[in-house]
Amino acid sequence: MKSNGTRFLLIVVFLQLLILIFSFSTKAQPDYTFAKPVLLSGTDLAVGAKYRFSAVRPGVDGILTIVDMKGKMTLKELDGPSGFDEAFQPYINCEPKSKGYVEFLIEFVSAGTTKLLIQKEVPLTAIDIDGYEFPDNKLFETDGFEESSSFYIDYDMLGTSLEVKKTGNWVEAINQSAITYDGIDTVQKDVMFTAVHANVSSVRFRVGADNQSKEFMYRLRSIYFKKFIYSNSFLPKSPLLSFNGVEKSNKVNLSWTIENNNLFKSFSIEKGKSSSSFIEIGKINGVAEVSAQSNFSFADQELLTETSFYRLKMVGINGQITYSAVLVFRGKHQGSSSFKIFPSVIQGNATISVTAASSGTATLDIVDYSGRLINRRQLQLLEGTNNIVLNNTNSILSGNYLAVLKIDKTTYSQKIIKK
């Protein structure tokens, strides 16, 4: 971010304008809008000051409180005008040889009142967590989000300029490169960090810096209330850890495993004659208690006489609906391959279909064309035709691969493409 007094050549300014125009044309629209704060109480820019942001979304105001200031960090301006108008953008004063932060609390209330309102989802993305290199030393920006009961973080794991660590109930992103990105945009994903809360009426966050130089500097920070997609997501796995099915004696039994089961209030089992038309054939409530994992199962009592498609409709505690990948089973008279991955061109999840003569363990290897092992998974198979969803393929880079399945003394293979 720019420091005061910085001068640029005309050609550099022109290039920056082109980048800025591009970033505005491609940026996502915010879920909330924070603009034109009005001081309600306390001393402006001091700890304890309260401000109202009107109409952060229809019928909802945001009341922001300056909760704390640590390590000589103070505010120069509450909400700066440059960058994104929709984002909350405080200017902080970074004293020489100081490390600290300014902490904020935002409460969501009914418009014109102080009555708290539960929000189904509140995303926050810290943008442009960069730094600055002085002649004598460096400055590294930091941002932190407080956890809530239903909370996750996301950022780009590969090529990131951030160190992300957890201290107590706070998750902090710390710049490591001290490279300055002029202006504020959403192009540089390597210096962005997202937190998403569900069913909350308030959120806490911090903006700060570690100024190791003898020089003073103020920094413009930006908290954008929107989720973003990262090419190499921090989320290594979906809450749906597995979704499998096995066909035996012309009947299909489904099973699935959920991490953080308290994120879901129900699971509907849906069945169809095609991959685009489903009806509900069963429903199971989620588990109220918080536990690391929960296992669920469902048996379809109808005989499998024709090709049938199965999927899960998962309803979150915030009302959000997501669907699993689709499992496909074919009637015995139609015949089936002993091993198949579909689709063969993988963009997200894929499904493995394998017929086992008896229950046991199989190994699935993803190798590149030079024979290098890219990914290995152990599969638990039951007697019959198994359909297993291959979740979380984010770690596999785009390219052409060979999927190799080893079961007992038999090896199967199939070419796949990862998009």
Side-chain angles (χ1 to χ4, degrees):
M1 298 170 196
K2 298 179 184 176
S3 61
N4 53 323
T6 306
R7 297 291 184 268
F8 297 94
L9 296 175
L10 182 58
I11 187 171
V12 176
V13 174
F14 176 73
L15 290 174
Q16 289 173 350
L17 286 173
L18 288 179
I19 294 173
L20 196 58
I21 290 170
F22 174 77
S23 69
F24 270 97
S25 66
T26 58
K27 73 182 180 67
Q29 292 302 307
D31 291 344
Y32 295 81
T33 298
F34 284 81
K36 300 179 180 179
V38 175
L39 181 65
L40 296 178
S41 63
T43 303
D44 190 26
L45 303 182
V47 172
K50 289 182 178 290
Y51 304 81
R52 182 183 293 272
F53 288 86
S54 296
V56 295
R57 63 183 311 172
V60 181
D61 291 350
I63 295 181
L64 179 137
T65 303
I66 303 174
V67 176
D68 201 2
M69 296 181 183
K70 294 291 187 183
K72 298 182 181 180
M73 291 291 163
T74 56
L75 283 170
K76 174 183 183 292
E77 191 172 349
L78 184 72
D79 192 27
S82 60
F84 297 135
D85 291 338
E86 303 93 341
F88 173 61
Q89 301 189 150
Y91 270 102
I92 58 174
N93 298 311
C94 303
E95 297 292 336
K97 297 292 183 180
S98 65
K99 177 182 179 181
Y101 58 81
V102 180
E103 182 177 321
F104 299 94
L105 166 70
I106 290 182
E107 298 171 292
F108 299 96
V109 299
S110 179
T113 74
T114 57
K115 181 181 178 181
L116 291 173
L117 289 178
I118 296 290
Q119 306 296 296
K120 288 185 177 181
E121 186 175 80
V122 181
L124 304 91
T125 298
I127 296 173
D128 214 18
I129 313 172
D130 59 6
Y132 191 84
E133 186 167 359
F134 295 94
D136 69 311
N137 219 317
K138 299 177 180 180
L139 180 148
F140 304 93
E141 293 182 347
T142 66
D143 282 293
F145 297 122
E146 187 183 37
E147 293 181 325
S148 62
S149 57
S150 295
F151 166 94
Y152 71 83
I153 63 173
D154 198 10
Y155 62 96
D156 197 327
M157 285 201 311
L158 300 180
T160 183
S161 296
L162 306 176
E163 176 192 4
V164 178
K165 65 179 184 179
K166 185 176 183 296
T167 304
N169 61 338
W170 286 82
V171 181
E172 184 180 26
I174 308 163
N175 181 272
Q176 298 294 296
S177 63
I179 296 173
T180 298
Y181 294 102
D182 297 312
I184 295 179
D185 57 48
T186 59
V187 174
Q188 301 295 338
K189 295 289 183 67
D190 62 320
V191 286
M192 290 170 56
F193 173 59
T194 296
V196 181
H197 302 265
N199 290 331
V200 295
S201 59
S202 64
V203 292
R204 287 176 183 258
F205 59 91
R206 296 168 176 170
V207 297
D210 179 7
N211 185 5
Q212 301 177 6
S213 169
K214 295 183 291 184
E215 302 291 331
F216 168 86
M217 177 175 277
Y218 68 78
R219 308 291 291 177
L220 175 62
R221 316 311 309 284
S222 184
I223 304 295
Y224 196 36
F225 286 73
K226 180 68 183 178
K227 287 186 290 188
F228 289 85
I229 297 174
Y230 299 93
S231 298
N232 302 285
S233 174
F234 168 76
L235 302 175
K237 53 191 175 184
S238 163
L240 179 63
L241 298 182
S242 65
F243 178 41
N244 305 330
V246 62
E247 177 272 320
K248 185 179 179 182
S249 300
N250 283 343
K251 286 192 174 182
V252 173
N253 292 305
L254 304 173
S255 62
W256 62 97
T257 301
I258 297 293
E259 188 176 49
N260 297 330
N261 56 65
N262 60 312
L263 295 178
F264 298 96
K265 62 182 180 182
S266 69
F267 305 93
S268 293
I269 299 88
E270 297 185 342
K271 180 180 178 180
K273 295 182 179 181
S274 71
S275 60
S276 59
S277 178
F278 290 88
I279 61 172
E280 182 179 300
I281 61 171
K283 188 173 183 178
I284 296 176
N285 291 328
V287 179
E289 297 81 11
V290 177
S291 62
Q293 294 183 12
S294 289
N295 298 313
F296 300 85
S297 62
F298 178 83
D300 185 3
Q301 298 302 319
E302 184 179 13
L303 289 176
L304 181 67
T305 59
E306 59 184 345
T307 299
S308 296
F309 299 79
Y310 295 86
R311 72 179 183 185
L312 292 177
K313 176 184 177 182
M314 301 174 287
V315 181
I317 56 174
N318 61 357
Q320 183 177 1
I321 296 174
T322 56
Y323 292 92
S324 70
V326 175
L327 300 181
V328 184
F329 290 89
R330 294 172 173 84
K332 289 292 185 182
H333 64 281
Q334 296 174 301
S336 61
S337 173
S338 294
F339 169 63
K340 183 176 178 59
I341 292 182
F342 53 91
S344 58
V345 179
I346 302 172
Q347 291 183 310
N349 296 328
T351 300
I352 304 166
S353 179
V354 56
T355 301
S358 60
S359 299
T361 302
T363 301
L364 177 69
D365 289 341
I366 307 297
V367 298
D368 63 19
Y369 280 11
S370 67
R372 183 167 59 97
L373 179 65
I374 303 300
N375 189 280
R376 169 169 288 173
R377 307 185 186 211
Q378 297 296 319
L379 307 179
Q380 298 298 321
L381 304 180
L382 298 175
E383 180 185 348
T385 300
N386 297 259
N387 273 353
I388 301 171
V389 172
L390 185 64
N391 278 332
N392 312 309
T393 61
N394 291 349
S395 61
I396 303 175
L397 300 178
S398 298
N400 298 320
Y401 299 97
L402 199 64
V404 180
L405 181 79
K406 297 178 181 178
I407 175 172
D408 295 328
K409 296 181 180 180
T410 305
T411 300
Y412 303 93
S413 64
Q414 178 186 326
K415 295 180 181 179
I416 60 173
I417 300 172
K418 176 63 167 56
K419 286 291 187 180

